[in-house]
Structures are given as C-alpha cells and as structure tokens.
Amino acid sequence: LIIPAFIAFVPMGLILVEPDLGTALLFMPSLLAMLVAAGAKLVHVIGTCALGGVFGLGIVAASLFFAQAEKYPLLRPHQVERIEAVIDSWQGDERFVDSRGFQGRQAKMLLGAGGFAGHDEERARALINFSSLPERHNDMIFAVVLNRFGFVGSAIMLALYAVWFVGALFTAGVSKDPFGRIIVVGFVGMLATQAMINIGMTLGLLPITGMTLPFVSYGGSSLLMNFVMVGLILSVGLRRPERLWRDSFEFGATR
C-alpha cells in the first residue's frame, strides 16, 4: 500500500500548502475505495485506516495543545477555532456563539426552522436573510435547502444522491476494464465523502470546512470538476464489455 499512498500524498500535500485541508481529506477515502475495488485485502485496508486514524487524532491533539502557546502549531489558527467551535457545541458552551460558533449556530437555527415541510419562498427568503448565515450559497447550502423545503425536501435530495451513487457503482460493476472500474469507484468515494462532510458540518457534527455540497452549492471549479467526473463515468458506462470478455484484474494465462 506504500506506492498508492505515496501517489495520493503528492496532490494532498500540494493542496494542503494552499491551504485547503477540507479538499485534501477527500483523497484518502477515495484511495481506500479504489484499493478495495482493485482487490486489496480488507484486513490490510482496515489496519491502515486504524493506524491513519490514530495518527490523525494525534496530530489534531498536538495541534490544539501547541496552538495555545502559538509555538509551531500544526494546524492554522482558523482551523483550530473550527475544531474548538464543534467541541463547544457538544459541551453546550455558549460563550463563543457570537464569534467562532456563529456560523454553526445560525446553520442549525435554519435547519430547525425548516420543520417537516419547509416554508414558502417569501418566508424562507426572509428567514435566510435575517439569519446572516455566512457562505449560505455554497458551504452552508444544505441549511438553506432544509429551511426552504424542510425534512421532505432534504430527504428527496439525499435520495437523489443515493440514486447517483448506486448508478455509478452499477456502472463500475458491469465494467470489465480495470482502469474504468477503479476511476468510477474513486469518484463515488470522493463525492460521497464530500457530501457527508458538508452535511455533517452543517448539522454541527463535524468542524466547518470550505467544502461545497456536490451539484448543489454555487461554485465554479468545483461544479466543473463534478461534471467532468460525470462525463468520465458516462464514458465508462458507454463502453460495455464484449461477450466472453475476461474478468477484470485477471491478468494471468488463459485457463
């Protein structure tokens, strides 16, 4: 697993330099999904995930500790504040709701105001405007969707995501080309992780990151790359295997 991990770490490192921690986090779930599709043993993959998780938690803990002393923090100050804002929310600490916890609190207020069926356009627009929710057109778009269309609308949106993911995985399943199958699984892993992180941070379960909700958030390069992924998946789906094609990843001599 060292060589594939090194290949993934190269773009991750470049993105971290920007800095964009949220986008860099998408590479590891995508890599693990591709490794499983390529035939990696689950024992090895799970062991790698466990070690990576322990290492990641150690980095976060060390960063929070050293950031207080402002001595070579491993995370940037705004990233530390976002992690602390989630911890404050879990502990019910409201001392910082008007500073580092403002965006998360306003997002949850809009979520709760949506109710079961949401509001009409005029009332929803008024609630969203008076909430002063930062980045409501991209990072926090899920709060806007739930406020306007309620639980029903958000459930429909999640169902559409499920249809997209299942359709893409079906495309990967019928493909006999190893490269085609791997890239489709990688795209599914990346977009599914991105959607879960965006929804999780809006619900207050995860730290807020500058990560868009795929196909829903306003965006330029992000939306463009999402449709590039769709085009590549369609390309794989249009090239159906011929009859009696050898199974994927069977590169040995013909039996």
Side-chain angles (χ1 to χ4, degrees):
L1 301 177
I2 295 177
I3 295 178
F6 176 78
I7 296 174
F9 287 157
V10 172
M12 286 180 63
L14 295 175
I15 294 173
L16 285 172
V17 172
E18 291 187 16
D20 189 353
L21 178 62
T23 302
L25 293 175
L26 299 177
F27 280 80
M28 292 311 297
S30 180
L31 172 63
L32 294 177
M34 295 168 71
L35 289 174
V36 172
K41 293 183 179 181
L42 291 178
V43 175
H44 296 163
V45 173
I46 294 173
T48 304
C49 291
L51 291 175
V54 173
F55 182 70
L57 290 176
I59 290 179
V60 172
S63 302
L64 292 175
F65 176 79
F66 286 113
Q68 302 301 325
E70 297 182 356
K71 182 179 180 181
Y72 307 112
L74 300 177
L75 292 177
R76 297 179 182 270
H78 70 277
Q79 295 171 338
V80 175
E81 287 186 356
R82 291 173 177 178
I83 296 175
E84 290 175 340
V86 175
I87 297 175
D88 293 340
S89 177
W90 293 346
Q91 295 178 346
D93 189 348
E94 299 183 353
R95 292 177 298 171
F96 306 99
V97 293
D98 292 328
S99 54
R100 66 192 184 199
F102 178 78
Q103 188 175 19
R105 181 190 65 176
Q106 298 304 102
K108 287 186 285 187
M109 287 177 61
L110 283 179
L111 291 172
F116 183 75
H119 303 286
D120 58 74
E121 181 179 355
E122 182 177 358
R123 179 174 175 80
R125 189 180 298 274
L127 289 171
I128 293 168
N129 287 336
F130 284 108
S131 71
S132 300
L133 175 65
E135 305 297 334
R136 57 179 178 264
H137 61 292
N138 45 33
D139 299 350
M140 291 292 168
I141 192 67
F142 184 69
V144 175
V145 172
L146 206 150
N147 181 265
R148 174 66 174 88
F149 301 104
F151 173 79
V152 175
S154 63
I156 293 175
M157 187 187 72
L158 294 177
L160 292 175
Y161 274 125
V163 171
W164 194 94
F165 295 143
V166 171
L169 290 176
F170 178 79
T171 301
V174 299
S175 175
K176 298 300 182 181
D177 177 57
F179 180 74
R181 177 176 293 186
I182 289 176
I183 62 172
V184 172
V185 171
F187 290 155
V188 171
M190 180 169 289
L191 290 184
T193 303
Q194 183 175 346
M196 287 189 295
I197 291 177
N198 181 278
I199 294 174
M201 74 181 190
T202 307
L203 295 175
L205 303 177
L206 298 173
I208 295 175
T209 63
M211 190 174 297
T212 59
L213 187 61
F215 305 110
V216 180
S217 295
Y218 174 87
S221 58
S222 176
L223 191 60
L224 175 62
M225 294 311 300
N226 288 339
F227 282 112
V228 168
M229 293 181 190
V230 172
L232 292 173
I233 292 174
L234 289 174
S235 178
V236 174
L238 289 173
R239 290 165 173 78
R240 294 298 182 92
E242 299 177 2
R243 293 183 179 275
L244 303 179
W245 191 312
R246 178 180 296 175
D247 291 338
S248 300
F249 308 105
E250 187 181 331
F251 300 109
T254 303
R255 288 178 293 181

